[in-house]
Amino acid sequence: MWNVLIADDEPKIRQGLRETMEGFGLPVSVCAEARNGADALEKIKEFHPDIILLDICMPKLSGIQLLEEIRKTEQECQVIIISGFNEFGYAKQAIRLGVSEYLLKPIVEEELKNAVLAVIKELEKTRKSKKFMDLVKQQLAQNQTYLQDVFLNDWIEGKLSPNEWKEQAELLHLGMPDRITLVMTVVQPGYERKLAGGTVSDELYKMTLEKIMSEHLREFHPVAVFMSRYQDVIGIFQDIPSGIEEFLEQMQVQIEMQTGGKCCVFTESCSGSELPDACVKMRSQARKFMECKPIVLEARKYIYDHYGERELDLGQVAHAIGCSASYLSRMMKQEIGISFKEFLTRLRISQAIALMENRELSINEIAGQVGYSNQHYFSAAFKNCQGVSPSEFRKNLVCKGEKE
């Protein structure tokens, strides 16, 4: 049933229109009557009619003025103008304001009925369209994550034109800036494919890996984080957040320890149109970085498991994995670009930084937990890596936490 408002300053005309409308046998019901334009505006706000029969010449607020007020609101209604003036000027203004029909007094019942039928047809069309759009929005909301992943993967693979990716980003409410910074995290799984809960299946390994890396990257509020079809995790940022380089280095260590695999992180700034090429470039760098000999992977894993031991050295690691110390030293330098000592130091300092957040631990206790025999050696190594002493670093960490 469609609600109808009749607005006319003549009571007899209002009564006649009501009786005529009720006699049509159409799915309409007169919900209210108004004696002038101001009264009509109040009744429209109160009853929200679907159809308005509107006299163009009324006191206080003319039909044209009332139409202008209606169009300022979000009222979705069809308007049939009833006029005693056969003047083109009125019709022209009414059409500009989006009236559905324009009838002249005295009203011919057949013309009124046809006009009402026409607006009912338009209302039904609008309602169906609105229901469809509501359904689309509902489906979009329910499948937001899936659709976003499909869009982002298509985008980085160069399957979308500039107009297409901009339109889809807007549809998915992803505010993409003109310049973006990418962070790509790639992990080469450990031999045993172990996570915190033990050995897992390939699929579960991938899902957990994505969750781990996504959680790390989300700390810096990216525009989007997703796993590509190449099984790397990509974060898209508006710009490079302050302190992210140090954070990414720590994240790399944490992921390697959690997964038992080799991890590398790359960053690249580009425009939206350059995104596919930037991803290809970073993936190429990752492939070269990941071409690591099994013996080095074994050494890295052993170091992660034993870095807290104060006596850990190159000889112990080499003996544990069954090779000579000189060969392992040469392979590590060749494969990962740094010496055994530097690798162990970076790992220990990274772990020490993670422990700094526990204020109950003293600097000396932290030094012991990450494998240093005394605080002096630890402080020297820490300052060499971070540029400040452990106490200064913790002080800055506390200040930052209090500000947040």
Side-chain angles (χ1 to χ4, degrees):
M1 190 68 70
W2 304 100
N3 290 324
V4 180
L5 170 71
I6 299 172
D8 195 295
D9 61 327
E10 296 184 39
K12 287 184 178 181
I13 292 180
R14 293 200 304 272
Q15 180 62 27
L17 287 171
R18 174 186 282 273
E19 292 174 355
T20 302
M21 292 288 290
E22 290 173 349
F24 284 154
L26 298 174
V28 296
S29 173
V30 178
C31 62
E33 296 179 14
R35 63 185 181 277
N36 58 56
D39 183 31
L41 187 58
E42 291 303 314
K43 296 280 177 62
I44 290 168
K45 292 177 181 177
E46 181 181 355
F47 293 97
H48 305 288
D50 303 299
I51 303 170
I52 302 174
L53 299 183
L54 179 61
D55 183 12
I56 206 165
C57 185
M58 290 187 296
K60 294 191 178 181
L61 208 62
S62 72
I64 295 297
Q65 291 172 321
L66 179 59
L67 274 171
E68 290 174 337
E69 291 300 316
I70 292 172
R71 297 315 177 207
K72 290 177 184 178
T73 69
E74 295 183 357
Q75 297 286 337
E76 295 181 0
C77 57
Q78 299 289 319
V79 179
I80 299 174
I81 289 288
I82 300 172
S83 174
F85 299 89
N86 189 8
E87 295 182 5
F88 178 72
Y90 282 114
K92 186 178 179 181
Q93 290 182 70
I95 291 169
R96 178 177 59 82
L97 292 167
V99 300
S100 304
E101 300 286 336
Y102 192 99
L103 304 178
L104 292 175
K105 295 179 180 178
I107 300 298
V108 178
E109 287 191 14
E110 190 64 25
E111 289 182 357
L112 178 59
K113 185 175 183 179
N114 289 336
V116 174
L117 284 169
V119 296
I120 288 176
K121 186 175 180 181
E122 191 62 32
L123 284 166
E124 289 174 342
K125 182 180 176 182
T126 301
R127 178 173 287 184
K128 285 180 182 178
S129 176
K130 187 175 184 300
K131 282 184 178 179
F132 175 75
M133 289 308 297
D134 288 343
L135 180 62
V136 169
K137 289 178 182 178
Q138 181 183 350
Q139 291 296 318
L140 193 61
Q142 291 175 349
N143 298 283
Q144 179 83 8
T145 302
Y146 170 75
L147 293 172
Q148 179 175 303
D149 281 352
V150 171
F151 155 64
L152 291 167
N153 272 284
D154 286 348
W155 184 17
I156 66 172
E157 291 173 18
K159 295 179 179 179
L160 303 175
S161 68
N163 286 338
E164 285 175 332
W165 70 254
K166 287 176 183 177
E167 287 175 1
Q168 291 189 32
E170 185 176 349
L171 183 65
L172 293 165
H173 305 294
L174 292 172
M176 291 295 175
D178 293 332
R179 297 290 300 179
I180 55 180
T181 297
L182 300 176
V183 174
M184 179 182 286
T185 309
V186 185
V187 174
Q188 184 181 69
Y191 292 118
E192 299 177 32
R193 305 183 80 78
K194 284 187 176 180
L195 295 168
T199 304
V200 296
S201 66
D202 285 2
E203 192 60 33
L204 182 58
Y205 185 89
K206 291 173 184 176
M207 290 170 61
T208 308
L209 197 58
E210 179 183 9
K211 185 175 183 294
I212 291 170
M213 290 189 279
S214 295
E215 285 176 352
H216 281 295
L217 291 176
R218 287 187 197 284
E219 290 187 28
F220 281 83
H221 310 293
V223 176
V225 176
F226 64 103
M227 177 170 272
S228 80
R229 296 179 182 120
Y230 291 88
Q231 304 302 319
D232 44 44
V233 175
I234 297 175
I236 299 179
F237 296 83
Q238 184 165 347
D239 48 37
I240 300 178
S242 175
I244 196 170
E245 287 88 353
E246 178 185 304
F247 170 81
L248 292 176
E249 186 175 326
Q250 294 177 41
M251 182 185 82
Q252 180 177 332
V253 172
Q254 292 294 325
I255 291 172
E256 289 185 345
M257 294 191 67
Q258 285 176 288
T259 64
K262 183 180 179 183
C263 172
C264 59
V265 181
F266 300 95
T267 62
E268 187 81 20
S269 293
C270 63
S271 66
S273 299
E274 295 168 338
L275 180 63
D277 290 337
C279 285
V280 170
K281 178 182 176 182
M282 287 194 292
R283 207 163 277 127
S284 176
Q285 291 174 321
R287 276 198 300 270
K288 291 179 181 178
F289 188 83
M290 287 301 182
E291 290 172 357
C292 193
K293 295 186 181 301
I295 196 167
V296 176
L297 289 176
E298 289 183 44
R300 287 163 65 97
K301 186 177 185 307
Y302 186 87
I303 296 167
Y304 287 138
D305 291 339
H306 299 272
Y307 72 90
E309 299 174 8
R310 298 182 181 184
E311 303 303 321
L312 182 67
D313 59 17
L314 179 63
Q316 179 182 331
V317 178
H319 177 75
I321 63 174
C323 70
S324 69
S326 59
Y327 178 73
L328 178 59
S329 175
R330 186 167 67 255
M331 286 297 100
M332 288 191 72
K333 185 73 174 178
Q334 179 180 306
E335 296 292 308
I336 61 178
I338 56 177
S339 66
F340 165 83
K341 184 177 180 180
E342 187 175 356
F343 180 83
L344 178 59
T345 300
R346 286 188 185 183
L347 173 59
R348 284 173 166 171
I349 298 305
S350 175
Q351 292 305 104
I353 289 172
L355 292 172
M356 290 278 185
E357 295 181 5
N358 185 350
R359 299 180 190 180
E360 294 182 2
L361 290 175
S362 68
I363 299 296
N364 192 49
E365 287 173 325
I366 291 173
Q369 287 193 29
V370 297
Y372 285 92
S373 57
N374 64 64
Q375 187 174 331
H376 173 72
Y377 289 135
F378 170 65
S379 296
F382 193 98
K383 189 168 185 177
N384 187 50
C385 285
Q386 298 298 321
V388 294
S389 68
S391 56
E392 287 176 305
F393 186 92
R394 173 172 265 182
K395 184 179 179 181
N396 293 335
L397 197 64
V398 171
C399 292
K400 181 181 178 183
E402 289 176 348
K403 287 180 181 179
E404 293 175 351

